[in-house]
Amino acid sequence: QVQLVESGGGLVQPGGSLRLSCTASVTIFGIWTMGWYRQAPGKQRELVATITSKSSTNYADSVKGRFTISRDNGKKMVSLQMNSLKPEDTAVYYCNLDKGLTQYWGQGTQVTVSS
């Protein structure tokens, strides 16, 4: 059974930074693509960033240049460094493990950007 546990959310002022982390309880971690998604109130869940087993990254246009996804296979962890945060980044952020036919999700962590 795969479990993903996120941490690091919170309240931050516009222009501030937060770092989200997700730890996976899986036997093998390094071969799977990991990702971060977010869902704002009244909106569909959307991709934020993904990182493959070879550390190739992909970002939503709205976060390019501000967010950085990284992984530590030894710790079975994926992180999302978020800089220059904007109010429109406010959402619940979810960690994702992509096994192709099966997707696994964390419980989500709230990020609120407000003055």
Side-chain angles (χ1 to χ4, degrees):
Q1 183 72 13
V2 174
Q3 288 190 323
L4 303 173
V5 179
E6 302 107 333
S7 61
L11 172 65
V12 64
Q13 292 186 342
S17 298
L18 279 177
R19 185 176 182 87
L20 306 182
S21 295
C22 170
T23 302
S25 62
V26 289
T27 303
I28 300 173
F29 176 80
I31 64 174
W32 307 114
T33 292
M34 299 296 298
W36 287 96
Y37 292 71
R38 67 187 181 188
Q39 187 167 17
K43 295 188 176 181
Q44 289 188 330
R45 190 173 297 188
E46 63 176 6
L47 178 146
V48 176
T50 60
I51 185 166
T52 70
S53 60
K54 297 183 178 180
S55 293
S56 175
T57 58
N58 179 54
Y59 296 93
D61 288 343
S62 59
V63 307
K64 281 181 181 177
R66 300 188 298 122
F67 291 10
T68 302
I69 189 170
S70 60
R71 66 190 298 159
D72 184 333
N73 292 335
K75 294 181 179 180
K76 299 182 180 179
M77 180 182 294
V78 62
S79 299
L80 185 69
Q81 177 66 42
M82 305 186 294
N83 299 327
S84 302
L85 282 160
K86 305 175 180 180
E88 51 264 43
D89 294 319
T90 295
V92 177
Y93 284 71
Y94 296 91
C95 178
N96 171 266
L97 188 152
D98 182 357
K99 285 194 175 183
L101 294 179
T102 305
Q103 306 287 319
Y104 295 92
W105 299 92
Q107 81 285 355
T109 185
Q110 177 70 47
V111 171
T112 302
V113 184
S114 175
S115 55

